[in-house]
Amino acid sequence: MVYLENPLLKLYLNVIGWVTLGFILGRLLPRSYSTYLAKFLFFCGTPLSIVAFIRSANLSGAIWMAPLIAWAAILAGGGLAGILINFGVGEERFKSLNPAQNSPEHTSAWSLPTKGSFLLATMLGNTGFLGIPVTLSLLGSEHFAWALFYDLLGTTMGMNILGVAIASHCGKSDRRQGWLTPLLAIFQNPALWAFGLGFISRSLPLSAPIAELLTTGAWTVITLALITIGMQLSKLNSLHNLKPVLACLAIKMLFIPLVIGTGLTFFGIAGAPRLVLVLQMAMPPAFGTTLLAEAFNLDRELAVTAIGLGCVSLLFTIPIWMRLFNF
């Protein structure tokens, strides 16, 4: 059928369909089920899909630019978020929620935990469970490595190093971590080892049945990832702090992808690789921001609202990037 030949429409049907199923399951099943599924994907499913897709990915060209672009987007988002905090975005809203902050000793209506959540949501995107399925659906596995490098060496490292540092500084928790803990978390990440295994195994031939089974399993993992997102979304019930959240999403999902995506042309990155990077930059805030918010007692409501609205906004922003940066 003609509509199935449209990659964007196929993406929407898959994303909306599987996420909706996950949302329904999340409402019906205990919260622990989504936790178990997420752990399965982290330790088994995602590594399997990485090995499968990296074998057929195109590793030529300036692919090592992907993590550098990721860090540029992360730092730019943090810088702009810091500027907005200094200008008091959402000040009236927070003053009404926190009357004690109206006292003269408070120079800003932003509490430290709220600053932390705002920074994390603006800097770190859902480039794994959401960004990679979007990239695969729209551009296939040939350019998968660009998305993977962006996620593993950019977002994942940023979450475990810079994200933990910000959360530890801004949080109310007594839990303090040195630099060794986040570094160990990176090297203990199964996805990183799967990337190495997939890269090494590229030269090893597989029989047709085994290769087909590996590919089928990888796409099944992508489906399970979308279902997991739906189950996680079903637990979000917060719509507070709309003004700062809208400012966060404007930076994270519109301004940063537009500016950096346009600048990629001057570095010789164009076509499908540029679109992959723009899509990764334009992902909504990562679910990991809520985990950091809970672990370090940051503003969880702001993090939750940013994720929920960001996932809905993604349906409207993808066509923009396809239109502006398609090849």
Side-chain angles (χ1 to χ4, degrees), residues 87-161:
F87 275 95
V89 173
E91 184 171 347
E92 294 80 4
R93 171 63 176 168
F94 289 124
K95 282 183 177 179
S96 65
L97 292 176
N98 303 283
Q101 291 186 358
N102 295 330
S103 57
E105 63 268 18
H106 285 85
T107 58
S108 172
W110 289 75
S111 67
L112 201 56
T114 297
K115 290 180 181 179
S117 289
F118 186 77
L119 285 168
L120 293 176
T122 308
M123 297 167 69
L124 302 167
N126 192 345
T127 56
F129 279 177
L130 193 54
I132 287 178
V134 168
T135 299
L136 286 170
S137 298
L138 292 177
L139 299 169
S141 61
E142 181 182 0
H143 304 286
F144 169 75
W146 285 87
L148 183 62
F149 277 45
Y150 189 106
D151 177 58
L152 281 182
L153 303 181
T155 303
T156 299
M157 291 185 66
M159 180 75 72
N160 284 291
I161 296 179

Side-chain angles (χ1 to χ4, degrees), residues 2 12 49 75 89 93 105 120 127 145 161 171 174 186 190 197-198 200-201 204 207-208 210 245 251 263 267 270-271:
V2 176
Y12 276 31
S49 64
L75 296 176
V89 173
R93 171 63 176 168
E105 63 268 18
L120 293 176
T127 56
I161 296 179
D174 292 332
I186 293 174
L197 178 61
I200 294 173
S201 67
L204 300 178
S207 64
I210 294 179
V245 165
I251 296 172
F267 291 92

Side-chain angles (χ1 to χ4, degrees), residues 24 31 95 206 215 261:
I24 295 172
R31 179 185 291 269
K95 282 183 177 179
L206 296 177
T215 301

Side-chain angles (χ1 to χ4, degrees), residues 9-301:
L9 187 54
K10 287 175 62 177
L11 170 66
Y12 276 31
L13 290 175
N14 285 326
V15 170
I16 295 175
W18 292 118
V19 170
T20 300
L21 175 60
F23 188 91
I24 295 172
L25 292 175
R27 289 292 188 181
L28 297 176
L29 300 175
R31 179 185 291 269
S32 59
Y33 280 67
S34 63
T35 302
Y36 293 147
L37 183 55
K39 288 183 177 180
F40 166 77
L41 291 174
F42 179 78
F43 289 105
C44 301
T46 300
L48 171 68
S49 64
I50 289 174
V51 171
F53 290 126
I54 203 68
R55 286 177 55 87
S56 59
N58 182 2
L59 299 182
S60 63
I63 193 171
W64 291 100
M65 287 286 291
L68 298 179
I69 300 303
W71 276 96
I74 290 171
L75 296 176
L80 291 173
I83 292 173
L84 290 186
I85 289 173
N86 290 333
F87 275 95
V89 173
E91 184 171 347
E92 294 80 4
R93 171 63 176 168
F94 289 124
K95 282 183 177 179
S96 65
L97 292 176
N98 303 283
Q101 291 186 358
N102 295 330
S103 57
E105 63 268 18
H106 285 85
T107 58
S108 172
W110 289 75
S111 67
L112 201 56
T114 297
K115 290 180 181 179
S117 289
F118 186 77
L119 285 168
L120 293 176
T122 308
M123 297 167 69
L124 302 167
N126 192 345
T127 56
F129 279 177
L130 193 54
I132 287 178
V134 168
T135 299
L136 286 170
S137 298
L138 292 177
L139 299 169
S141 61
E142 181 182 0
H143 304 286
F144 169 75
W146 285 87
L148 183 62
F149 277 45
Y150 189 106
D151 177 58
L152 281 182
L153 303 181
T155 303
T156 299
M157 291 185 66
M159 180 75 72
N160 284 291
I161 296 179
L162 198 54
V164 169
I166 291 174
S168 178
H169 173 72
C170 297
K172 302 176 183 177
S173 175
D174 292 332
R175 177 182 176 184
R176 292 293 183 265
Q177 300 188 27
W179 287 103
L180 183 60
T181 299
L183 285 176
L184 286 176
I186 293 174
F187 288 106
Q188 292 172 353
N189 188 339
L192 184 64
W193 295 99
F195 169 76
L197 178 61
F199 182 81
I200 294 173
S201 67
R202 282 170 61 88
S203 59
L204 300 178
L206 296 177
S207 64
I210 294 179
E212 183 178 355
L213 181 62
L214 188 62
T215 301
T216 301
W219 281 105
T220 302
V221 168
I222 296 300
T223 300
L224 291 176
L226 294 175
I227 292 175
T228 303
I229 289 174
M231 296 178 73
Q232 292 173 329
L233 285 175
S234 70
K235 308 303 180 183
L236 307 183
N237 53 11
S238 172
L239 283 177
H240 299 290
N241 306 329
L242 286 180
K243 186 173 180 180
V245 165
L246 291 177
C248 162
L249 297 181
I251 296 172
K252 174 73 185 67
M253 301 181 66
L254 292 175
F255 185 79
I256 295 296
L258 179 61
V259 173
I260 297 183
T262 302
L264 290 179
T265 306
F266 300 99
F267 291 92
I269 302 176
R274 180 179 63 177
L275 180 57
V276 170
L277 295 176
V278 168
L279 289 174
Q280 287 289 67
M281 283 185 276
M283 286 298 112
F287 280 101
T289 59
T290 62
L291 300 180
L292 290 176
E294 290 177 351
F296 293 93
N297 291 321
L298 301 179
D299 189 335
R300 186 179 183 277
E301 286 190 349

